[in-house]
């Protein structure tokens, strides 16, 4: 190994948490190195997560729309054919453009990019097994662990990423499966189910809970979303637990039973997507060499300033607490660097938006009705359907609604939940409103351009404390 060089900051992991921290530290004038083993920067999100999935969601939606939704718009098309290989290529072009962009930003901000697997040798030294062969080591006055997460496997099913797949296989299938069974009706399950159902698969989603979308999604919105996805052809088995799978023959058998025990069933599948959540990834990191431990769910334990019990070692992103979201990882990266360089930083965990990129999209920020009920908070609700919004009507895209929840006494916004066209962009306004402590009246008295979908947002706010105009 070569002589270890000391940096102000060494970051293990070049995902969103790691690369953003590297850039911000470089901008602050720190000597910084970022170690990434994948061979390309951007982590799960850019390589096998957010970006490739959104490419496929966008293009499969277009394909589906051309097949089923052009005649009533006065557009007649000839034979429409799916070229899956070219669709995958388009995805790869988006991914490589963005991951290379980060390499450029590293150069611009004087970040040293070390391609290899890092492991703690001691509290300041990281040994690196280089991707291109050989070893090196690097010393850091400070170290950030940003090693992210991996798909949780399903006991008894062997992931081969071809027939039994995680999201990584689901964004790279070479043909459209005839029957796809999705275990887990969370965000990954529903986004990937959308892609393959639009491209022609018969999709069944099996979900343990009584609602789709995971517990963060407002129950009313989840119900409406399930109806809309059902209309697109997706089948759902809620309150149903997958108990075992048999992948020993061509057709995979998935055994289910009612969540509360009882009724059993067996589903046949050509491909099974395991989407039951993700778990923090720390394998091979050598945590045992420095005495760092994880909690019962594998998360690195940190304090308010992202410090582990060894204060110069911090941890951010999916590998530690909080929602496993790219923009959450980014906020933490900025805050952790600020704690280091300035002594203070800030992330408002109460105002981190969630978006599910199905069609229509689902987006929310703040608390949902079931959480507020459980907490005994008195609230009022205002809603507005897209079917009464002029732009949604002109676009022939009227499914869904906006829902505001405000404090019953003060009108302060507590949560905003949207299912509808462009919900993912619209939630930015809701997040800003929540961050600034706005009331629903503040939003309703703000002028929104006509004709835009955002008027549905304004009118939902208005209906929280008064009556909406158009509904
Ligand atoms: P990661 O992105 O996982 O990055 C960690 C990196 O560390 C990896 O590249 C890994 O190779 C590297 N690493 C690990 N150990 C070592 C080591 N010892 N040495 C060197 N390198 C190491 N979030 C959203 O907000 N929006 C979305 O639309 C979205 N879509 C998603 C779709 C899918 C299919 C998946 C799987 C996830 C999606 N996510 C989305 C979640 C998002 O990808 C993660 O929250 C985000 O990537 C977390 O960033 P991170 O930097 O903490 O971890
Ligand atoms: P998730 O936790 O959101 O959903 C998993 C679902 O599987 C849950 O609803 C759970 O009840 C269900 N489940 C678990 N075991 C089951 C069983 N045996 N039978 C039936 N159902 C079962 O996890 P995910 O969808 O895998 O996503 C992982 C992470 O990635 C999430 O934190 C998510 O936020 C993130 N992600 C975000 C986006 C986005 O922001 N658009 C997209 C993809 C992934």
């Amino acid at each position: 190994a070569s002589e270890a060089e000391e940096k102000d900051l060494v970051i293990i992991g070049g995902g969103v948490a790691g690369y953003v921290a590297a850039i911000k530290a470089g901008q602050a004038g720190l000597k910084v190195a970022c170690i990434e083993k994948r061979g390309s920067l951007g982590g799960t999100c850019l390589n096998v997560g957010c970006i490739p999935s959104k490419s496929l969601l966008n293009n499969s939606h277009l394909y589906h729309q051309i097949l089923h939704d052009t005649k009533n718009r006065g557009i007649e098309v000839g034979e429409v054919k799916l070229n899956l290989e070219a669709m995958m290529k388009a995805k790869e072009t988006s991914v490589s453009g963005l991951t290379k962009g980060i390499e450029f930003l590293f150069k611009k901000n004087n970040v040293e990019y070390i391609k290899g697997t890092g492991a703690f040798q001691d509290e300041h030294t990281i040994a690196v097994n280089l991707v291109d062969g050989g070893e090196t080591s690097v010393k850091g006055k400070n170290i950030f662990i940003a090693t992210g997460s991996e798909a949780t496997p399903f006991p008894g099913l062997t992931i081969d990423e071809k027939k039994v797949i995680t999201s990584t296989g689901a964004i790279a299938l070479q043909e459209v499966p005839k029957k796809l069974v999705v275990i887990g009706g969370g965000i990954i399950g529903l986004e990937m189910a959308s892609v393959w159902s639009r491209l022609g698969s018969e999709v069944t989603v099996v979900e343990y809970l009584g609602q789709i979308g995971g517990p963060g999604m407002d129950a009313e919105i989840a119900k409406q979303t399930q109806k809309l996805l059902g209309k697109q052809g997706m089948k759902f088995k809620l309150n149903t637990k997958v108990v075992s799978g048999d992948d020993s023959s061509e057709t995979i058998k998935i055994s289910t039973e009612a969540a509360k025990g009882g009724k059993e069933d067996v589903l046949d599948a050509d491909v099974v997507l395991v989407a039951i959540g993700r778990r923090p990834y720390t394998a091979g990191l050598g945590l045992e060499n420095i005495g760092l431990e994880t909690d019962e769910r594998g998360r690195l334990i940190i304090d308010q300033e992202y410090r582990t019990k060894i204060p110069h070692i911090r941890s951010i992103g999916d590998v530690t607490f909080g929602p496993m979201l790219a923009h959450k990882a980014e906020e933490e990266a900025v805050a952790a660097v600020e704690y280091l360089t300035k002594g203070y930083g800030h992330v408002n965990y109460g105002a981190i938006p969630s978006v599910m990129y199905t069609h229509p999209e689902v987006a929310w920020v703040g608390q949902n009705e079931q959480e507020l009920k459980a907490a005994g908070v008195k609230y009022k609700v205002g809603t507005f359907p897209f079917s009464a919004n002029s732009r949604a009507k002109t676009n022939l895209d009227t499914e869904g609604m906006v829902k505001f929840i405000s404090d019953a006494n003060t009108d302060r916004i507590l949560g905003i939940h949207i299912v509808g066209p462009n919900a993912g962009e619209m939630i930015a306004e809701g997040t800003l409103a929540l961050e600034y402590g706005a009331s629903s009246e503040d939003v309703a008295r703000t002028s929104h351009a006509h004709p835009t979908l955002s008027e549905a947002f304004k009118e939902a706010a208005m209906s929280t404390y008064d009556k909406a105009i158009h509904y």
Side-chain angles (χ1 to χ4, degrees), residues 180-201:
L180 173 68
V181 168
V182 178
I183 311 180
I187 309 265
I188 290 188
L190 296 176
E191 288 187 350
M192 290 300 119
S194 289
V195 168
W196 295 107
S197 140
R198 290 165 188 170
L199 298 182
S201 293

Side-chain angles (χ1 to χ4, degrees), residues 184 186-188 191 207-208 240 242 275-278 324-325 355 357:
I187 309 265
I188 290 188
E191 288 187 350
E207 168 55 51
Y208 179 76
T240 306
V242 171
I276 57 169
R278 293 179 61 83
M324 290 186 172
L325 294 171
V355 180
Y357 297 83

Side-chain angles (χ1 to χ4, degrees), residues 12-18 35-38 40 42-45 48-50 53-54 116-119 146-149 167 188 191-192 278 281 283-285 316-319 324-327 329 355 357:
I12 312 175
V16 176
I35 308 167
E36 170 57 57
K37 67 175 183 171
R38 189 184 292 273
S40 97
T44 304
C45 180
V48 290
C50 327
S53 63
K54 265 83 258 181
T117 306
T147 48
S149 61
S167 54
I188 290 188
E191 288 187 350
M192 290 300 119
R278 293 179 61 83
Y281 180 78
L285 196 53
I316 50 177
D318 279 11
V319 74
M324 290 186 172
L325 294 171
H327 43 283
V355 180
Y357 297 83

Side-chain angles (χ1 to χ4, degrees), residues 2-14:
S2 66
E3 183 75 357
E5 187 201 343
E6 178 153 82
K7 302 278 182 188
D8 296 315
L9 175 63
V10 173
I11 300 163
I12 312 175

